[in-house]
Amino acid sequence: MTRTNAQIHEMKHAYRDVALPNKKCGCDQLDKDIEDDTSGDFKRLLVSAGQGNRKEIAEDKILAAVEDVKIDGKPTGQFRINFEKLVDFELCKCEAEALYKAGEDKWGTDEKEFNRIFSFYDFYTLKVIYDEYVKISQRDILNSIDRETSGNFKKGLRAIVENIRCRPMYFAHKLKDAITGLGTDDDTLIRIIVSRPEIDMVQIKQCYLAITERTLFRDIMDDTSGDYKKMLCAIVGKN
């Protein structure tokens, strides 16, 4: 739900080849399987996000919005995104109002409106929508999601928000959940550690240390064994 449009289309091609390697089928095989295996608002959220039609901002426009952070006119070596160069703030206010009217401001919840907004807009626009939502509702969007939705639909909406706000922190929490408690969620552990090393593993490890006060390397050492442990530790790295 949080991949780029290009990544979603690539995954749909790969899924077709993996799911039915000996049969000719279209790239909509993933959509069909989602519809068969899920239901309700969660199914509609997955199908909407899986179309790969989310609005996106061109890379050159994003780079043009990156600005130096200066103190007393002197550069600090830090940078920030000037959202006014990327996002239509009036649109964001309108969509934040639409979310409020679809949930907190009415009896019941208009899940279709949540689905539309969460599945359609680029991540920079959604971030501003969430900020504007706080001003209107006096609640964080995650608080309203918890109050107004339930089940896998709620989990899906929360995943979108948490990824947009800080993807490394999102994965750090997922790793913590996979490692702590009774047993180990090996599927989640493998999926994150194998897929993130060349993207944001350094930041994930920093976030993991911040929320657990232990290193990810230490917890993997304590929670796994044998060649499996050696493999994961080698990918994560001690430093």
Side-chain angles (χ1 to χ4, degrees):
M1 293 184 292
T2 58
R3 304 301 186 191
T4 66
N5 292 337
Q7 288 172 332
I8 288 173
H9 290 300
E10 288 177 7
M11 283 191 289
K12 293 174 81 168
H13 277 286
Y15 182 87
R16 175 195 61 188
D17 297 336
V18 171
L20 297 169
N22 299 318
K23 294 183 180 181
K24 291 184 178 180
C25 60
C27 293
D28 60 349
Q29 185 62 42
L30 178 57
D31 295 331
K32 292 178 181 177
D33 286 351
I34 287 173
E35 291 179 359
D36 289 342
D37 290 347
T38 60
S39 62
D41 296 311
F42 182 54
K43 176 176 74 174
R44 286 185 279 273
L45 179 65
L46 289 178
V47 171
S48 297
Q51 299 311 300
N53 292 326
R54 185 185 293 278
K55 294 188 75 173
E56 293 183 332
I57 299 175
E59 183 178 355
D60 58 343
K61 189 174 181 180
I62 296 173
L63 292 175
V66 177
E67 298 178 345
D68 290 324
V69 175
K70 296 181 179 180
I71 298 178
D72 297 330
K74 298 179 180 179
T76 63
Q78 297 178 322
F79 302 90
R80 70 179 185 92
I81 297 288
N82 184 343
F83 280 83
E84 292 183 355
K85 293 183 178 180
L86 295 178
V87 173
D88 182 341
F89 274 73
E90 288 304 314
L91 171 67
C92 292
K93 292 176 183 177
C94 290
E95 293 295 39
E97 183 71 32
L99 279 176
Y100 178 62
K101 291 180 178 179
E104 296 286 353
D105 195 39
K106 66 177 294 184
W107 181 261
T109 306
D110 184 354
E111 289 86 357
K112 291 181 180 179
E113 192 72 346
F114 274 79
N115 187 0
R116 178 185 70 81
I117 294 171
F118 276 65
S119 300
F120 178 67
Y121 287 107
D122 64 88
F123 300 148
Y124 296 95
T125 297
L126 283 174
K127 187 178 187 306
V128 177
I129 289 174
Y130 300 152
D131 291 342
E132 292 298 324
Y133 181 84
V134 174
K135 300 174 186 177
I136 295 169
S137 67
Q138 296 301 298
R139 291 183 183 276
D140 184 77
I141 186 64
L142 288 176
N143 179 265
S144 289
I145 288 171
D146 288 342
R147 286 163 49 88
E148 298 293 329
T149 63
S150 61
N152 287 326
F153 183 56
K154 178 177 77 172
K155 292 178 182 178
L157 295 178
R158 285 189 63 92
I160 292 172
V161 176
E162 291 168 3
N163 266 276
I164 289 171
R165 286 181 169 172
C166 183
R167 184 164 294 182
M169 184 61 75
Y170 170 79
F171 283 119
H173 279 289
K174 288 297 180 184
L175 286 168
K176 176 178 176 290
D177 292 342
I179 293 173
T180 58
L182 295 175
T184 303
D185 182 353
D186 292 305
D187 289 343
T188 298
L189 195 59
I190 293 170
R191 180 177 65 83
I192 296 174
I193 289 177
V194 170
S195 65
R196 306 307 296 184
E198 297 179 0
I199 304 173
D200 53 6
M201 182 56 71
V202 171
Q203 292 81 7
I204 290 172
K205 291 195 294 183
Q206 292 170 345
C207 291
Y208 188 90
L209 178 62
I211 62 177
T212 66
E213 297 183 342
R214 300 182 305 275
T215 66
L216 179 58
F217 184 90
R218 177 74 269 166
D219 278 359
I220 291 173
M221 286 282 291
D222 292 343
D223 212 58
T224 59
S225 61
D227 291 335
Y228 175 49
K229 175 173 72 175
K230 293 177 182 178
M231 179 193 70
L232 293 181
C233 287
I235 295 174
V236 168
K238 192 172 184 179
N239 298 323

